[in-house]
Amino acid sequence: CNMVSKQLNDNYIINSFLFVPSPQSLGVETVQPPSPKESNKEYNFTVGFKDLNESLNALEDNDLDALMADLVADLSEVEQKTLQAQKSSSHDPQSAVTRPSTGVCAATSYSYKSNVPVTTTGRFEDDLPPPPPDPAFDLPLPPPPPEPLTQEELEAQAKADKIKLALEKLKEAKVKKLVVKVHMNDNSTKSLMVDERQVARDVLDNLFEKTHCDCKVDWCLYEIYPELQIERFFEDHENVIEVLSDWTRDSENKVLFLEKKEKYAVFKNPQNFYLANKGKNEGKEMNEKNKEFLLEESFCGTSVIVPELEGALYLKEDGKKSWKRRYFLLRASGIYYVPKGKTKTSRDLACFIQFENLNIYYGTQYKLKYKAPTDYCFVLKHPQIQKESQYIRYLCCDDQWTLQQWVTGIRIAKYGKTLYDNYKRAVQRASMASGWANLVPVKPAVTAGSSLTGIYTV
């Protein structure tokens, strides 16, 4: 038996050496992963909360149940693959070789014990120790039964169990999910579970169901960067998790749910953007039929027509708080400017910036922060830039209307027909909501402290 055991140990050592080589034999230096990665992994599940446990506690019961259903569905495929791997490993020839050797050792030890004679004499019976005392008398008394829990305690315990299970499932989930805190106009917040397949339009629809608001096309997700003092609204086709994943861990950025008329102003009155520079009276009023024709001509042709926009803007110099006035022109490929001593002809224009991999933001209180000529500023930057950088471009306009024209024109040049499709989908969603409201007339109440563009609750 000892020889067989020694042989088995030798085989095990050989197998270990063959299948688990040391790092030195591979020539690869093993490095322990840094400890902050665990916290970053946890941050990937939450935005606007201190930790994941806090964010899950903020979810309502039905949202928590929906999250568990999604996680179980996501993990079912992984569990099936694991079971198949276990079945295939049970038929592995190496395991079949290992099992009989264990049986040989057992049989050898059994035959060795069976050859040893066992005899009992009275002398040994007299030397036996006395029987031990009955343990029943030494056992402590059972603890008193626990007091029955109240209904609130039972519900709290049930939710805590769900959260504990959700934490375990989230770590195993294949689909990336975020618990996002969304701020309202009345200073309240809503907690949403967002996965990587959802766009801003899907999140808006979810918020419509939670807040029971009017579902107008002006509602939007709005992001704010306090450190850079910039803000913008999400386009409805943007992937929310991709945007939020660019935020740093210690970021104070926020997501708001509010109404912004500027979001789709170009589709409500396209003449103000496409005909404003062609005549003072031509673009003021237009019937709905002509508006629709202008939109079809601008967005549904072979290529999208960008508004003809040009004029003098102030450009902030790199690393300084001084601004220079230059003449800029908007084109489909980017923003161009007229160099000194040149004309506005195409061959004399110089490219200032292109819109690929750039987002446009509104700058807030730049007159105080950067000594801008006015407070009507917009910013162009890469979405992954979260700190002050020389690659951020700051531009300043003379008035609010000029700012709105430039921001809208840049959005059209960047997104094209997708912007128009987003608007049509928002109109369709609003019409469906109004149809249901006419069938079931329920007038929601306005919460205290909310403005005209606030959140309606039941």
Short mmCIF file of all heavy atoms in Angstrom, two decimals, residues 19 40 54 88 119 137 154 179 185 213 228 235 239 246 266 278 286 303 319 324 326 336 340 394 409:
data_model
loop_
_atom_site.label_atom_id
_atom_site.label_comp_id
_atom_site.label_asym_id
_atom_site.label_seq_id
_atom_site.Cartn_x
_atom_site.Cartn_y
_atom_site.Cartn_z
N PHE A 19 1.29 20.24 -15.99
CA PHE A 19 0.12 21.05 -16.32
C PHE A 19 0.08 22.37 -15.57
O PHE A 19 -0.71 23.23 -15.89
CB PHE A 19 -1.17 20.27 -16.01
CG PHE A 19 -1.34 19.08 -16.92
CD1 PHE A 19 -1.00 17.82 -16.47
CD2 PHE A 19 -1.79 19.24 -18.21
CE1 PHE A 19 -1.15 16.72 -17.30
CE2 PHE A 19 -1.92 18.15 -19.04
CZ PHE A 19 -1.60 16.88 -18.59
N ASN A 40 -12.94 50.14 -8.54
CA ASN A 40 -13.38 50.59 -9.85
C ASN A 40 -14.44 49.66 -10.40
O ASN A 40 -15.38 50.08 -11.06
CB ASN A 40 -12.19 50.66 -10.80
CG ASN A 40 -11.26 51.81 -10.45
OD1 ASN A 40 -11.68 52.77 -9.82
ND2 ASN A 40 -10.01 51.69 -10.84
N GLU A 54 -25.56 51.13 -1.32
CA GLU A 54 -26.45 52.30 -1.18
C GLU A 54 -27.36 52.45 -2.38
O GLU A 54 -28.54 52.76 -2.26
CB GLU A 54 -25.60 53.56 -1.00
CG GLU A 54 -26.42 54.84 -0.90
CD GLU A 54 -25.55 56.09 -0.96
OE1 GLU A 54 -24.32 55.95 -0.98
OE2 GLU A 54 -26.12 57.20 -1.02
N SER A 88 -18.50 17.00 -19.36
CA SER A 88 -17.40 16.58 -20.23
C SER A 88 -16.18 16.18 -19.42
O SER A 88 -15.46 15.26 -19.77
CB SER A 88 -17.05 17.71 -21.19
OG SER A 88 -16.64 18.85 -20.46
N THR A 119 -8.58 -11.44 18.85
CA THR A 119 -9.03 -12.27 19.98
C THR A 119 -9.32 -11.39 21.16
O THR A 119 -8.74 -10.31 21.32
CB THR A 119 -7.94 -13.30 20.36
OG1 THR A 119 -6.76 -12.58 20.69
CG2 THR A 119 -7.68 -14.25 19.19
N PHE A 137 -27.29 14.97 30.48
CA PHE A 137 -27.40 15.81 31.67
C PHE A 137 -26.44 16.99 31.63
O PHE A 137 -26.56 17.92 32.41
CB PHE A 137 -27.13 14.95 32.91
CG PHE A 137 -28.14 13.86 33.11
CD1 PHE A 137 -27.85 12.57 32.72
CD2 PHE A 137 -29.39 14.13 33.66
CE1 PHE A 137 -28.77 11.56 32.89
CE2 PHE A 137 -30.32 13.11 33.83
CZ PHE A 137 -30.02 11.83 33.44
N LEU A 154 -39.79 42.31 8.68
CA LEU A 154 -39.80 41.23 7.69
C LEU A 154 -39.54 41.76 6.29
O LEU A 154 -38.77 41.16 5.52
CB LEU A 154 -41.14 40.48 7.74
CG LEU A 154 -41.39 39.61 8.98
CD1 LEU A 154 -42.82 39.07 8.96
CD2 LEU A 154 -40.39 38.47 9.04
N VAL A 179 -26.47 51.38 -11.80
CA VAL A 179 -27.53 51.99 -11.01
C VAL A 179 -27.27 53.49 -11.02
O VAL A 179 -26.26 53.96 -10.49
CB VAL A 179 -27.55 51.45 -9.57
CG1 VAL A 179 -28.70 52.07 -8.79
CG2 VAL A 179 -27.67 49.94 -9.57
N ASN A 185 -36.17 68.36 -11.11
CA ASN A 185 -36.24 69.82 -10.90
C ASN A 185 -36.62 70.19 -9.48
O ASN A 185 -36.29 71.28 -9.01
CB ASN A 185 -37.25 70.44 -11.86
CG ASN A 185 -36.62 70.79 -13.20
OD1 ASN A 185 -35.42 70.63 -13.39
ND2 ASN A 185 -37.42 71.27 -14.13
N CYS A 213 -45.13 61.95 -15.99
CA CYS A 213 -45.15 63.29 -16.57
C CYS A 213 -45.84 63.25 -17.94
O CYS A 213 -46.35 62.22 -18.37
CB CYS A 213 -43.75 63.86 -16.66
SG CYS A 213 -42.70 63.02 -17.86
N LEU A 228 -15.71 71.52 -14.86
CA LEU A 228 -15.45 72.27 -16.10
C LEU A 228 -16.51 73.34 -16.36
O LEU A 228 -16.37 74.11 -17.32
CB LEU A 228 -15.38 71.32 -17.29
CG LEU A 228 -14.23 70.29 -17.26
CD1 LEU A 228 -14.34 69.35 -18.46
CD2 LEU A 228 -12.89 71.01 -17.28
N GLU A 235 -28.24 63.17 -26.62
CA GLU A 235 -29.05 62.88 -27.81
C GLU A 235 -29.76 61.54 -27.58
O GLU A 235 -29.22 60.64 -26.94
CB GLU A 235 -28.17 62.81 -29.05
CG GLU A 235 -27.36 64.07 -29.31
CD GLU A 235 -28.20 65.30 -29.59
OE1 GLU A 235 -29.42 65.16 -29.79
OE2 GLU A 235 -27.65 66.42 -29.59
N ASN A 239 -25.77 55.97 -26.32
CA ASN A 239 -25.71 54.91 -25.32
C ASN A 239 -25.33 55.52 -23.97
O ASN A 239 -24.27 56.12 -23.83
CB ASN A 239 -24.69 53.85 -25.75
CG ASN A 239 -24.71 52.64 -24.84
OD1 ASN A 239 -24.27 52.70 -23.71
ND2 ASN A 239 -25.21 51.54 -25.36
N ASP A 246 -17.19 57.22 -19.14
CA ASP A 246 -16.07 58.15 -19.31
C ASP A 246 -15.86 59.03 -18.09
O ASP A 246 -14.82 59.68 -17.96
CB ASP A 246 -16.30 59.03 -20.55
CG ASP A 246 -16.21 58.24 -21.84
OD1 ASP A 246 -15.46 57.25 -21.88
OD2 ASP A 246 -16.90 58.61 -22.81
N VAL A 266 -35.21 73.28 -33.76
CA VAL A 266 -35.01 73.36 -35.21
C VAL A 266 -36.10 72.62 -35.98
O VAL A 266 -36.44 72.99 -37.11
CB VAL A 266 -33.62 72.81 -35.58
CG1 VAL A 266 -33.50 71.33 -35.25
CG2 VAL A 266 -33.31 73.04 -37.06
N LYS A 278 -31.44 84.74 -44.73
CA LYS A 278 -31.83 85.04 -46.10
C LYS A 278 -32.84 86.17 -46.20
O LYS A 278 -33.27 86.53 -47.27
CB LYS A 278 -32.41 83.79 -46.76
CG LYS A 278 -31.38 82.67 -46.90
CD LYS A 278 -31.97 81.47 -47.61
CE LYS A 278 -30.94 80.37 -47.80
NZ LYS A 278 -31.48 79.18 -48.50
N MET A 286 -44.32 80.59 -40.76
CA MET A 286 -44.42 79.59 -41.82
C MET A 286 -45.47 78.58 -41.41
O MET A 286 -45.54 78.18 -40.25
CB MET A 286 -43.06 78.91 -42.05
CG MET A 286 -43.06 77.85 -43.14
SD MET A 286 -41.43 77.12 -43.42
CE MET A 286 -40.60 78.45 -44.28
N SER A 303 -28.04 63.99 -49.09
CA SER A 303 -27.17 64.42 -48.00
C SER A 303 -27.88 65.46 -47.17
O SER A 303 -28.76 66.19 -47.67
CB SER A 303 -25.85 64.98 -48.53
OG SER A 303 -26.08 66.12 -49.33
N GLY A 319 -4.48 78.13 -22.52
CA GLY A 319 -3.82 78.41 -21.25
C GLY A 319 -3.93 79.82 -20.75
O GLY A 319 -3.28 80.18 -19.77
N LYS A 324 -9.70 86.14 -28.45
CA LYS A 324 -9.47 86.82 -29.73
C LYS A 324 -10.70 86.64 -30.63
O LYS A 324 -11.28 85.57 -30.70
CB LYS A 324 -8.23 86.26 -30.42
CG LYS A 324 -6.92 86.70 -29.79
CD LYS A 324 -5.73 86.28 -30.62
CE LYS A 324 -4.43 86.81 -30.04
NZ LYS A 324 -3.26 86.42 -30.87
N ARG A 326 -12.44 86.16 -34.09
CA ARG A 326 -12.15 85.63 -35.43
C ARG A 326 -13.45 85.39 -36.18
O ARG A 326 -14.52 85.29 -35.57
CB ARG A 326 -11.39 84.31 -35.33
CG ARG A 326 -9.94 84.45 -34.86
CD ARG A 326 -9.23 83.11 -34.89
NE ARG A 326 -7.82 83.22 -34.53
CZ ARG A 326 -6.84 83.49 -35.37
NH1 ARG A 326 -7.12 83.70 -36.65
NH2 ARG A 326 -5.59 83.56 -34.96
N TYR A 336 -14.58 76.27 -39.80
CA TYR A 336 -13.43 76.88 -40.47
C TYR A 336 -13.35 78.35 -40.08
O TYR A 336 -14.34 78.95 -39.64
CB TYR A 336 -13.57 76.73 -41.99
CG TYR A 336 -13.50 75.28 -42.46
CD1 TYR A 336 -14.61 74.44 -42.34
CD2 TYR A 336 -12.34 74.75 -43.00
CE1 TYR A 336 -14.55 73.11 -42.74
CE2 TYR A 336 -12.27 73.43 -43.42
CZ TYR A 336 -13.39 72.62 -43.29
OH TYR A 336 -13.32 71.29 -43.70
N LYS A 340 -5.86 85.81 -41.17
CA LYS A 340 -5.63 87.25 -41.38
C LYS A 340 -5.12 87.51 -42.79
O LYS A 340 -4.26 86.81 -43.31
CB LYS A 340 -4.60 87.75 -40.37
CG LYS A 340 -5.12 87.78 -38.94
CD LYS A 340 -4.08 88.34 -37.98
CE LYS A 340 -4.60 88.39 -36.55
NZ LYS A 340 -3.59 88.93 -35.62
N TYR A 394 -12.86 76.65 -26.48
CA TYR A 394 -13.86 77.53 -25.89
C TYR A 394 -14.18 78.65 -26.88
O TYR A 394 -13.28 79.35 -27.35
CB TYR A 394 -13.35 78.14 -24.59
CG TYR A 394 -12.89 77.14 -23.56
CD1 TYR A 394 -11.58 76.67 -23.54
CD2 TYR A 394 -13.76 76.66 -22.58
CE1 TYR A 394 -11.14 75.76 -22.60
CE2 TYR A 394 -13.34 75.74 -21.63
CZ TYR A 394 -12.03 75.29 -21.64
OH TYR A 394 -11.60 74.39 -20.70
N GLY A 409 -26.60 74.16 -35.22
CA GLY A 409 -25.94 73.86 -36.48
C GLY A 409 -24.86 72.80 -36.34
O GLY A 409 -24.73 71.91 -37.19
#
